[in-house]
PDB file of all heavy atoms in Angstrom:
ATOM      1  N   CYS J 915     -14.051   5.527  -2.453  1.00 96.00           N
ATOM      2  CA  CYS J 915     -14.122   5.159  -0.997  1.00 96.00           C
ATOM      3  C   CYS J 915     -15.312   5.767  -0.347  1.00 96.00           C
ATOM      4  O   CYS J 915     -15.971   5.127   0.372  1.00 96.00           O
ATOM      5  CB  CYS J 915     -12.851   5.684  -0.315  1.00 96.00           C
ATOM      6  SG  CYS J 915     -11.290   4.686  -0.721  1.00 96.00           S
ATOM      7  N   PHE J 916     -15.612   7.022  -0.699  1.00 96.00           N
ATOM      8  CA  PHE J 916     -16.693   7.799  -0.073  1.00 96.00           C
ATOM      9  C   PHE J 916     -18.052   7.361  -0.583  1.00 96.00           C
ATOM     10  O   PHE J 916     -19.103   7.473   0.119  1.00 96.00           O
ATOM     11  CB  PHE J 916     -16.537   9.321  -0.185  1.00 96.00           C
ATOM     12  CG  PHE J 916     -15.621   9.804   0.835  1.00 96.00           C
ATOM     13  CD1 PHE J 916     -14.278  10.101   0.601  1.00 96.00           C
ATOM     14  CD2 PHE J 916     -16.077  10.289   2.086  1.00 96.00           C
ATOM     15  CE1 PHE J 916     -13.395  10.632   1.574  1.00 96.00           C
ATOM     16  CE2 PHE J 916     -15.315  10.837   3.116  1.00 96.00           C
ATOM     17  CZ  PHE J 916     -13.978  10.978   2.798  1.00 96.00           C
ATOM     18  N   SER J 917     -18.048   6.887  -1.820  1.00 96.00           N
ATOM     19  CA  SER J 917     -19.306   6.484  -2.576  1.00 96.00           C
ATOM     20  C   SER J 917     -19.576   5.013  -2.486  1.00 96.00           C
ATOM     21  O   SER J 917     -20.613   4.514  -2.960  1.00 96.00           O
ATOM     22  CB  SER J 917     -19.395   6.946  -3.873  1.00 96.00           C
ATOM     23  OG  SER J 917     -18.356   6.378  -4.702  1.00 96.00           O
ATOM     24  N   ASN J 918     -18.605   4.193  -1.870  1.00 96.00           N
ATOM     25  CA  ASN J 918     -18.755   2.730  -1.841  1.00 96.00           C
ATOM     26  C   ASN J 918     -18.883   2.180  -3.245  1.00 96.00           C
ATOM     27  O   ASN J 918     -19.639   1.222  -3.413  1.00 96.00           O
ATOM     28  CB  ASN J 918     -19.856   2.401  -0.957  1.00 96.00           C
ATOM     29  CG  ASN J 918     -19.810   0.951  -0.449  1.00 96.00           C
ATOM     30  OD1 ASN J 918     -18.731   0.488  -0.146  1.00 96.00           O
ATOM     31  ND2 ASN J 918     -20.892   0.200  -0.341  1.00 96.00           N
ATOM     32  N   ASP J 919     -18.123   2.632  -4.206  1.00 96.00           N
ATOM     33  CA  ASP J 919     -18.283   2.299  -5.548  1.00 96.00           C
ATOM     34  C   ASP J 919     -16.937   1.386  -5.998  1.00 96.00           C
ATOM     35  O   ASP J 919     -15.973   1.916  -6.338  1.00 96.00           O
ATOM     36  CB  ASP J 919     -18.327   3.495  -6.461  1.00 96.00           C
ATOM     37  CG  ASP J 919     -18.605   3.245  -7.891  1.00 96.00           C
ATOM     38  OD1 ASP J 919     -18.361   2.153  -8.330  1.00 96.00           O
ATOM     39  OD2 ASP J 919     -19.077   4.156  -8.628  1.00 96.00           O
ATOM     40  N   LEU J 920     -17.171   0.045  -5.913  1.00 96.00           N
ATOM     41  CA  LEU J 920     -16.018  -0.795  -6.231  1.00 96.00           C
ATOM     42  C   LEU J 920     -15.640  -0.805  -7.687  1.00 96.00           C
ATOM     43  O   LEU J 920     -14.443  -1.018  -8.070  1.00 96.00           O
ATOM     44  CB  LEU J 920     -16.372  -2.206  -5.738  1.00 96.00           C
ATOM     45  CG  LEU J 920     -16.652  -2.467  -4.235  1.00 96.00           C
ATOM     46  CD1 LEU J 920     -16.883  -3.898  -3.999  1.00 96.00           C
ATOM     47  CD2 LEU J 920     -15.256  -2.048  -3.472  1.00 96.00           C
ATOM     48  N   GLY J 921     -16.572  -0.574  -8.515  1.00 95.00           N
ATOM     49  CA  GLY J 921     -16.408  -0.448  -9.966  1.00 95.00           C
ATOM     50  C   GLY J 921     -15.363   0.742 -10.174  1.00 95.00           C
ATOM     51  O   GLY J 921     -14.393   0.657 -10.954  1.00 95.00           O
ATOM     52  N   LEU J 922     -15.599   1.894  -9.602  1.00 97.00           N
ATOM     53  CA  LEU J 922     -14.782   3.065  -9.726  1.00 97.00           C
ATOM     54  C   LEU J 922     -13.425   2.832  -9.126  1.00 97.00           C
ATOM     55  O   LEU J 922     -12.402   3.198  -9.701  1.00 97.00           O
ATOM     56  CB  LEU J 922     -15.470   4.326  -9.163  1.00 97.00           C
ATOM     57  CG  LEU J 922     -14.642   5.581  -9.115  1.00 97.00           C
ATOM     58  CD1 LEU J 922     -14.289   5.930 -10.587  1.00 97.00           C
ATOM     59  CD2 LEU J 922     -15.446   6.707  -8.478  1.00 97.00           C
ATOM     60  N   LEU J 923     -13.514   2.135  -7.960  1.00 96.00           N
ATOM     61  CA  LEU J 923     -12.137   1.889  -7.317  1.00 96.00           C
ATOM     62  C   LEU J 923     -11.334   0.993  -8.246  1.00 96.00           C
ATOM     63  O   LEU J 923     -10.056   1.211  -8.370  1.00 96.00           O
ATOM     64  CB  LEU J 923     -12.462   1.145  -6.006  1.00 96.00           C
ATOM     65  CG  LEU J 923     -11.246   0.804  -5.125  1.00 96.00           C
ATOM     66  CD1 LEU J 923     -11.527   1.002  -3.639  1.00 96.00           C
ATOM     67  CD2 LEU J 923     -10.721  -0.560  -5.430  1.00 96.00           C
ATOM     68  N   ALA J 924     -11.850  -0.027  -8.888  1.00 96.00           N
ATOM     69  CA  ALA J 924     -11.132  -0.847  -9.792  1.00 96.00           C
ATOM     70  C   ALA J 924     -10.472  -0.104 -10.908  1.00 96.00           C
ATOM     71  O   ALA J 924      -9.361  -0.312 -11.263  1.00 96.00           O
ATOM     72  CB  ALA J 924     -12.002  -1.945 -10.321  1.00 96.00           C
ATOM     73  N   ARG J 925     -11.209   0.916 -11.398  1.00 96.00           N
ATOM     74  CA  ARG J 925     -10.633   1.763 -12.442  1.00 96.00           C
ATOM     75  C   ARG J 925      -9.579   2.800 -11.975  1.00 96.00           C
ATOM     76  O   ARG J 925      -8.687   3.138 -12.701  1.00 96.00           O
ATOM     77  CB  ARG J 925     -11.690   2.511 -13.136  1.00 96.00           C
ATOM     78  CG  ARG J 925     -12.846   1.632 -13.825  1.00 96.00           C
ATOM     79  CD  ARG J 925     -13.668   2.296 -14.868  1.00 96.00           C
ATOM     80  NE  ARG J 925     -14.186   3.508 -14.458  1.00 96.00           N
ATOM     81  CZ  ARG J 925     -15.396   3.621 -13.782  1.00 96.00           C
ATOM     82  NH1 ARG J 925     -16.051   2.570 -13.337  1.00 96.00           N
ATOM     83  NH2 ARG J 925     -15.884   4.762 -13.452  1.00 96.00           N
ATOM     84  N   ALA J 926      -9.686   3.165 -10.619  1.00 96.00           N
ATOM     85  CA  ALA J 926      -8.804   4.143 -10.107  1.00 96.00           C
ATOM     86  C   ALA J 926      -7.394   3.636  -9.758  1.00 96.00           C
ATOM     87  O   ALA J 926      -6.458   4.430  -9.840  1.00 96.00           O
ATOM     88  CB  ALA J 926      -9.460   4.700  -8.820  1.00 96.00           C
ATOM     89  N   VAL J 927      -7.232   2.300  -9.501  1.00 95.00           N
ATOM     90  CA  VAL J 927      -5.904   1.837  -9.133  1.00 95.00           C
ATOM     91  C   VAL J 927      -5.110   1.532 -10.390  1.00 95.00           C
ATOM     92  O   VAL J 927      -5.056   0.445 -10.902  1.00 95.00           O
ATOM     93  CB  VAL J 927      -6.076   0.505  -8.302  1.00 95.00           C
ATOM     94  CG1 VAL J 927      -4.741   0.091  -7.833  1.00 95.00           C
ATOM     95  CG2 VAL J 927      -6.870   0.764  -7.036  1.00 95.00           C
TER      96      VAL J 927
END
Side-chain angles (χ1 to χ4, degrees):
C915 289
F916 277 93
S917 62
N918 200 35
D919 187 338
L920 293 181
L922 179 58
L923 183 143
R925 303 198 305 277
V927 182

